[in-house]
Amino acid sequence: MRRSIYQSIRGGRPTIVYRERLRAGRLSLALDVSSSMIDYSSWAIAVASLFLSNISRLVFFSHTSTVLEGPLSRREVARSLLSVEFRGYTDISTALEKAAQPGVKKVVAVSDLQQTVDSQPIPHVVKNLHRSGYRVAFITPPSARPEDVEAVREAGARVVTAWTPRQAALGVLRHILRRP
């Protein structure tokens, strides 16, 4: 404690005074594995590995969706993450609907928000989920179009733009799971 006070007075790097255990609860995680997300494939691994014990439903999606029901073992999630191939078009709307499930009110999607399949508009699906009591959040790469980001924000979703896999994982912790 004393060291932290001295560091803050001197303008140095702050030191951790204490650590807080975060109870994240259960969540559904939707990972975009379309070809447009291939450059960000490590994000999927970073975010999913951070929440291995909290994932109750895992959805891999491109033009089709693969749903893994929980409770999921670490081995199942790791095997799925390492065997996924990033290719195809993107159907985010259907993936969000599949990720929503009774009893789990947090839906986190890692995606660039590029809907390339003719389906319902993403903001429409987000509004419906929000009205049903779900908290929807997106982790997006910097390549996501600002107008798409703003549209889902206006629909009620939280959006965190991250430049690295670490920022993506921390974005979920800081901006999504902690806020009511």
Side-chain angles (χ1 to χ4, degrees):
M1 179 78 159
R2 182 177 290 158
R3 191 168 134 206
S4 295
I5 294 170
Y6 286 142
Q7 286 294 338
S8 97
I9 291 170
R10 293 180 185 147
R13 282 184 69 199
T15 309
I16 295 174
V17 177
Y18 67 93
R19 290 183 186 244
E20 178 182 341
R21 179 166 283 184
L22 177 65
R23 300 178 102 199
R26 308 298 291 164
L27 62 91
S28 292
L29 183 63
L31 300 174
D32 185 346
V33 293
S34 64
S35 57
S36 64
M37 285 292 288
I38 196 162
D39 293 337
Y40 306 102
S41 58
S42 57
W43 292 31
I45 295 169
V47 173
S49 63
L50 184 63
F51 299 106
L52 283 177
S53 60
N54 300 88
I55 298 171
S56 63
R57 180 177 282 185
L58 182 59
V59 180
F60 295 105
F61 68 94
S62 57
H63 58 282
T64 60
S65 299
T66 303
V67 179
L68 298 175
E69 293 290 338
L72 300 170
S73 71
R74 291 175 186 257
R75 180 172 284 163
E76 287 174 307
V77 174
R79 188 178 308 134
S80 299
L81 286 171
L82 294 174
S83 66
V84 75
E85 293 182 23
F86 285 76
R87 62 179 170 181
Y89 296 105
T90 313
D91 188 3
I92 301 169
S93 299
T94 304
L96 288 174
E97 291 170 342
K98 288 184 178 185
Q101 68 177 10
V104 177
K105 293 297 183 180
K106 295 174 188 169
V107 177
V108 178
V110 178
S111 177
D112 56 6
L113 300 176
Q114 294 180 14
Q115 176 89 7
T116 56
V117 173
D118 190 26
S119 185
Q120 293 184 51
I122 302 168
H124 177 71
V125 173
V126 170
K127 277 182 189 174
N128 288 342
L129 290 174
H130 191 67
R131 281 188 208 126
S132 299
Y134 289 94
R135 290 176 51 203
V136 181
F138 289 94
I139 302 293
T140 63
S143 63
R145 295 189 328 219
E147 57 271 15
D148 293 337
V149 170
E150 192 56 36
V152 295
R153 271 196 183 121
E154 288 176 3
R158 293 193 187 278
V159 181
V160 175
T161 301
W163 283 261
T164 65
R166 184 173 187 271
Q167 284 180 335
L170 289 175
V172 173
L173 279 173
R174 289 184 183 145
H175 301 287
I176 295 167
L177 294 180
R178 287 190 159 211
R179 293 189 181 171

